[in-house]
Every structure is written in C-alpha cells, then in structure tokens.
Amino acid sequence: MPTRMLLTATIVSASLLVATGAQAQAEPHERYAYLGLGTGFSSLENDREEVDNFIDSGASDFDLDDDDNVWKGFAGYQFNRYLAAEAFYADLGRVRLRGNDGANTDLESTAYGANLVGQFPITTWFTPYAKVGAASWETDVDGNLGDASIDLQNNDGFDPVYGLGAQFNFNPVLIRAEYERYDFDSDYTIDTFTASVGLRF
C-alpha cells in the first residue's frame, strides 16, 4: 500500500537523520509553538457484529473492509521539556461493509479535539511521548445499492482519544511516528498508525 510505504520511508529517513544530523539537533526544553501534518493508515478494532450494532442496520451478513488511509493536522505548544498541549483534526478514512448481494455500506469518520502530551526526553533529538485527550467525532453512514446511494443515520459523539509516539527533534523540523486510539464507542474503536512532519516556531 503506498501509504504504508510512505510511513516506512519516513521512519527510515528519520533514523538516518538521527545518525548523520547531530549538528542540527534542537534542545527539547525550550518553549515553542508547532504545526504539523501526518498520514498513515487506520484499523478497526471491532468485529462485524459490533459494527452492525453501531449503525443499527439489522443485517450482519457482510465482509468487513476496515483498512484505509488517514490524514491529520495538528497545532500545539510545548510549555517545557515534559509537557505540551495540542489541537488536531483527523480524517480517519472509510470502513466498508460489503454485502454478499453486491450492496455495501460505507462509514467515513472525522474527528477534532485536543490532547495533553507528556514527554520523556532521552536525548536532545529523541523524545518518546504519551498523549491523552478528547475528540468530537462524526461518522457518516452511506448505503450503496448498485447505482443508487442513500444516506443512513449518522453517528456522532464526544469521547476519549489517546496514544503513544516518538518525536525526532531537529531545528526547526520535527518528525513523529505514532499510534493513536479513537475510542468512539464500545462497538466502534479506530486505531491509527501515522508518520508526521512538523515545523517549530
């Protein structure tokens, strides 16, 4: 998948920068604002019966296609070397329910919210972190019957989001690899794996 290749290439590039760019390192304890963009892929943590409960379709005879691209943007501020706060918007991709009769149902999710980021700097250039926050989310549900498309009942809510990651610090660039969980519902939980590039100010 092209996105997975891009994710792998970004992480490898970050490792090479670590090995060859020591002179470009940035001190992790200084205060700064930052902006960033990321991409990766998503994975649904629920089975098809749980997804059927989430959308109240009443029909669980389908195949689940839950692997799609993710895009996100974020803006934050680092208060000190251990704590930052950030706001984000994420397009979490599409989950498709493929029926045996050729019909399918698409669930497309987006979310925006805020996180507190706890940072654990190991060196000036390498900082693992954990984050916890909340997201306002919406899942659009569309049914497709051959040439016809119908809008089904959408779902939305305000629920937790949390994750783990590692940040490579260069001046003024930062590079991240991270895992996040969007816990929308007990019947609908999305995991994402992304690589991001940001700019410090």
Side-chain angles (χ1 to χ4, degrees):
M1 175 181 294
T3 300
R4 292 188 179 181
M5 294 177 62
L6 176 61
L7 180 60
T8 301
T10 302
I11 294 172
V12 170
S13 297
S15 300
L16 292 174
L17 285 171
V18 166
T20 62
Q23 69 275 15
Q25 295 167 7
E27 294 296 330
H29 59 269
E30 61 184 277
R31 297 184 179 185
Y32 58 85
Y34 56 92
L35 295 170
L37 293 172
T39 186
F41 61 94
S42 62
S43 177
L44 188 65
E45 289 305 297
N46 306 96
D47 60 30
R48 61 185 187 180
E49 291 184 1
E50 291 171 324
V51 176
D52 181 63
N53 291 333
F54 179 69
I55 62 175
D56 293 324
S57 72
S60 57
D61 187 18
F62 52 76
D63 293 323
L64 188 62
D65 180 3
D66 66 339
D67 194 0
D68 201 9
N69 295 344
V70 172
W71 303 91
K72 69 176 183 178
F74 55 91
Y77 186 80
Q78 178 173 295
F79 301 101
N80 55 52
R81 64 183 304 182
Y82 300 110
L83 181 65
E86 61 186 43
F88 65 88
Y89 173 84
D91 182 336
L92 300 173
R94 182 191 69 192
V95 171
R96 171 162 285 184
L97 313 180
R98 301 181 186 275
N100 294 330
D101 57 359
N104 58 66
T105 302
D106 292 337
L107 290 75
E108 297 185 1
S109 299
T110 58
Y112 65 90
N115 288 310
L116 285 177
V117 184
Q119 303 178 134
F120 311 95
I122 295 177
T123 70
T124 58
W125 50 262
F126 180 63
T127 305
Y129 61 86
K131 58 170 61 175
V132 62
S136 178
W137 58 271
E138 182 175 9
T139 299
D140 294 329
V141 184
D142 295 317
N144 299 285
L145 303 171
D147 295 331
S149 178
I150 56 175
D151 292 330
L152 303 177
Q153 182 176 355
N154 297 332
N155 285 340
D156 56 34
F158 187 77
D159 289 287
V161 58
Y162 38 90
L164 298 170
Q167 179 170 299
F168 299 89
N169 302 300
F170 303 95
N171 193 8
V173 175
L174 60 87
I175 298 174
R176 286 181 171 182
E178 65 183 4
Y179 155 80
E180 292 174 291
R181 168 162 286 188
Y182 294 81
D183 196 2
F184 293 168
D185 185 280
S186 60
D187 293 320
Y188 203 71
T189 300
I190 297 176
D191 287 348
T192 66
F193 305 85
T194 56
S196 303
V197 175
L199 187 64
R200 300 161 43 143
F201 300 95

